[in-house]
Amino acid sequence: MAAARPALADSASPVARGILANNPLALAFEDAPSRLPGVTLLGLDGKHSITEFRGRTILMPLWAEWCQPCLGELSDFAKLQQKYSNSNFLVLPVLTGARKKLTPQIIGQLFGFLHANALAPMMEDELTSHLMDTMAVRGAQEGAEIPCNLLIAPNGTVVGREFGLKSGNKDDSIAPSPEGASLAARAESGESLSLWGKAEGEQFAAAMAGGFLNEA
């Protein structure tokens, strides 16, 4: 997760400036493809175009049910959503690359287990993986890497992305290993498992809620 990544003073982060110049999370952001793919999202209230969410800064965690670090971050993002969501800022996780036949209703139940009810259950329609395949691949590497947390400006431009710990191999299990089972249990207990759940995450979210990217 983000807590494992040291912040480098000479980072080329597109986000680490102004009040976030020394924020470890801001420093962990790197350049990303500037345009999101044309994806249809599915939520509890039906289908949405990804362009519908323009007008606010969006922190968009890309996650999957087989990604243990992703599950560990969800409760931290929920706390930020509950405290800082406003007319300037929204945390909107999107399930991408699922290996189970999940629905928004099932995602909502999972969010409940993880103390993440403040988040809207949202997934790629028809269980596709366009966001993961387009936005979470680094350079010429094979395969995508998640957690991949996108920062999207109000005009829809992707400002940058932050990667958590490597998620390991895809499989059909929510808890594929003893380590993964422990992580899931800690997330269910409400424990903060990443910098997103600590003071660094609060500072980052407060800046976005205050309009940090409104002129981007």
Side-chain angles (χ1 to χ4, degrees), residues 27-96:
L27 287 162
F29 272 81
E30 59 185 61
D31 288 334
S34 62
R35 299 186 65 179
L36 293 167
V39 172
T40 298
L41 302 180
L42 182 63
L44 292 173
D45 57 349
K47 296 185 180 184
H48 300 268
S49 166
I50 203 165
T51 60
E52 289 180 29
F53 300 95
R54 290 183 181 179
R56 288 197 276 183
T57 293
I58 305 293
L59 180 60
M60 182 180 287
L62 304 181
W63 70 282
E65 81 285 356
W66 45 262
C67 168
Q68 293 298 326
C70 298
L71 300 181
E73 289 185 342
L74 286 172
S75 62
D76 294 338
F77 287 127
K79 293 170 187 173
L80 297 180
Q81 167 69 359
Q82 187 170 28
K83 186 171 182 178
Y84 294 104
S85 175
N86 62 11
S87 60
N88 289 325
F89 179 58
L90 174 69
V91 183
L92 184 70
V94 177
L95 176 76
T96 177

Side-chain angles (χ1 to χ4, degrees), residues 28-202:
F29 272 81
E30 59 185 61
D31 288 334
S34 62
R35 299 186 65 179
L36 293 167
V39 172
T40 298
L41 302 180
L42 182 63
L44 292 173
D45 57 349
K47 296 185 180 184
H48 300 268
S49 166
I50 203 165
T51 60
E52 289 180 29
F53 300 95
R54 290 183 181 179
R56 288 197 276 183
T57 293
I58 305 293
L59 180 60
M60 182 180 287
L62 304 181
W63 70 282
E65 81 285 356
W66 45 262
C67 168
Q68 293 298 326
C70 298
L71 300 181
E73 289 185 342
L74 286 172
S75 62
D76 294 338
F77 287 127
K79 293 170 187 173
L80 297 180
Q81 167 69 359
Q82 187 170 28
K83 186 171 182 178
Y84 294 104
S85 175
N86 62 11
S87 60
N88 289 325
F89 179 58
L90 174 69
V91 183
L92 184 70
V94 177
L95 176 76
T96 177
R99 293 297 177 265
K100 289 180 175 287
K101 293 183 178 180
L102 300 180
T103 65
Q105 289 74 21
I106 294 174
I107 294 171
Q109 293 173 12
L110 176 60
F111 283 179
F113 291 134
L114 298 175
H115 302 276
N117 285 323
L119 301 172
M122 196 71 67
M123 60 186 286
E124 284 196 40
D125 192 23
E126 300 183 353
L127 298 175
T128 56
S129 60
H130 300 311
L131 282 167
M132 183 174 69
D133 295 339
T134 303
M135 307 304 297
V137 177
R138 281 170 156 160
Q141 76 175 25
E142 292 186 10
E145 180 181 341
I146 55 174
C148 177
N149 303 312
L150 306 178
L151 185 65
I152 305 167
N155 64 7
T157 299
V158 180
V159 176
R161 59 188 176 183
E162 181 264 332
F163 289 92
L165 286 178
K166 298 184 76 170
S167 58
N169 295 324
K170 301 177 186 178
D171 64 22
D172 290 331
S173 174
I174 290 288
S177 68
E179 180 182 0
S182 174
L183 181 62
R186 290 167 63 195
E188 287 179 26
S189 74
E191 181 180 347
S192 292
L193 298 178
S194 74
L195 282 185
W196 291 108
K198 301 185 186 302
E200 294 86 350
E202 295 240 355

